[in-house]
Amino acid sequence: MKQLTTLIFDVDGTLADTERDGHRVAFNAAFQHNNLAWDWDIATYGDLLSVTGGKERIKYFLSLKHPDLLKRTDLEQWVAQLHKDKTRFYTDMLQQGNIPFRPGVLRLLQEAREKGLRLTIATTTTPENVTYLLDHASDEKLLDWFECIGAGDIVSAKKPAPDIYHYVMQQLSLSPAECIAFEDSENGIRASLAAALTTIISTNDYTRPHDFSGAALVLNQYGEADNPCQVIEGPVLSHDYLTIDDVMAIHQQSTEHK
Ligand code: XBP
Ligand code: MG
């Protein structure tokens, strides 16, 4: 049985609740900036989240609502420009500190570092968005805490494909048995399980109804002593919030048979 050495974190929905009031608002700002009368309301965006990747999500929306625009000869450049505008609006929001970490995330990261565990990221969003989030979500210089940021187009197949997890493990010469993944969505856990990773889920408003079969633990959040978590599926925890000791115990339990 391999000891746990590395925690691999998803970003959107896991480190911070970024989708409804962050990415979605930035997409709409980019559409307005480009004089496009498109407005992704909360429910519409929830449907579009079934496709990961902002550029891919725009094209998915076009396929549903404006299939004729998919015939544009400059489609790739046009979508890339829309996404570039969106990313600028989104990083502006992050820079204003408007998108905090979810409850318990910073504490769990600190506990992991105190145990000498390695931290890394595997996300579909852009590296730029990760940098801005880590630089502005707390007073700590969090960017230095993560040894590898596997993000966005660094891989050709995005989640639910396991590619981004394979990329991160390859970069750090890791085996799945020494890692544990933290995700929030069905696309995310499909990716982490396909990479043979034990996975801990924290749900959010968009992903609560998702199928998390195969997860080692499903929580509503990591929580704090004064803001307890709720175990939706999985073992009883040592406290009313997820600690690094719980994570290590869950890893040991799930890799005993591997
Ligand atoms: C979530 C995603 C991303 C974001 C939007 O990423 O699918 O596409 O919704 O960010 P994860 P971009 O949960 O893997 O962190 O527009 O930069 O893609
Ligand atoms: Mg996510």
Side-chain angles (χ1 to χ4, degrees):
M1 180 198 67
K2 277 248 178 147
Q3 290 300 316
L4 177 67
T5 65
T6 309
L7 281 59
I8 311 177
F9 283 89
D10 164 58
V11 173
D12 292 304
T14 299
L15 291 184
D17 202 350
T18 58
E19 296 290 2
R20 188 190 64 195
D21 302 332
H23 287 297
R24 181 183 67 88
V25 172
F27 277 110
N28 288 333
F31 300 150
Q32 199 173 17
H33 178 73
N34 286 274
N35 303 314
L36 293 164
W38 307 340
D39 185 73
W40 290 354
D41 62 29
I42 291 173
T44 300
Y45 191 67
D47 296 336
L48 296 175
L49 273 173
S50 60
V51 171
T52 64
K55 295 189 288 295
E56 295 81 358
R57 190 166 302 140
I58 291 170
K59 283 188 264 188
Y60 175 50
F61 168 71
L62 293 180
S63 71
L64 298 175
K65 302 290 182 190
H66 304 281
D68 50 311
L69 292 176
L70 290 173
K71 299 183 191 110
R72 281 179 66 139
T73 52
D74 65 342
L75 178 67
E76 292 309 319
Q77 296 86 331
W78 180 52
V79 167
Q81 185 54 52
L82 283 175
H83 191 247
K84 192 159 174 269
D85 292 345
K86 174 263 173 181
T87 300
R88 195 180 71 250
F89 284 111
Y90 181 67
T91 51
D92 285 351
M93 294 166 85
L94 292 173
Q95 210 156 18
Q96 288 152 33
N98 292 348
I99 303 181
F101 270 1
R102 294 191 67 185
V105 165
L106 189 57
R107 172 185 53 76
L108 193 68
L109 293 174
Q110 287 164 327
E111 290 177 6
R113 281 166 55 86
E114 285 155 18
K115 292 270 187 189
L117 296 172
R118 303 168 78 178
L119 300 176
T120 184
I121 277 174
T123 175
T124 308
T125 196
T126 61
E128 198 177 355
N129 290 346
V130 178
T131 302
Y132 272 83
L133 175 70
L134 295 180
D135 269 352
H136 296 90
S138 85
D139 300 334
E140 302 278 355
K141 276 301 287 168
L142 287 169
L143 201 52
D144 302 341
W145 292 15
F146 293 87
E147 288 188 42
C148 170
I149 307 258
D153 295 332
I154 196 79
V155 292
S156 50
K158 292 183 170 130
K159 298 175 186 176
D163 299 40
I164 197 67
Y165 280 105
H166 289 152
Y167 168 81
V168 164
M169 289 191 280
Q170 185 264 328
Q171 289 295 304
L172 299 182
S173 308
L174 296 167
S175 70
E178 64 183 298
C179 302
I180 193 162
F182 295 80
E183 275 285 355
D184 73 299
S185 68
E186 190 166 335
N187 277 327
I189 193 170
R190 285 172 56 195
S192 60
L193 293 181
L197 288 163
T198 300
T199 304
I200 290 177
I201 292 287
S202 50
T203 64
N204 51 64
D205 289 349
Y206 277 130
T207 68
R208 193 161 299 113
H210 285 192
D211 176 1
F212 294 116
S213 307
L217 175 68
V218 182
L219 300 170
N220 66 328
Q221 60 176 12
Y222 301 160
E224 300 288 7
D226 59 358
N227 180 8
C229 71
Q230 182 205 345
V231 176
I232 298 165
E233 182 86 35
V236 175
L237 302 182
S238 55
H239 300 76
D240 286 345
Y241 49 90
L242 181 70
T243 68
I244 196 62
D245 290 330
D246 295 316
V247 171
M248 296 172 80
I250 285 165
H251 173 268
Q252 187 179 355
Q253 207 278 326
S254 70
T255 53
E256 246 155 23
H257 317 299
K258 285 185 182 172

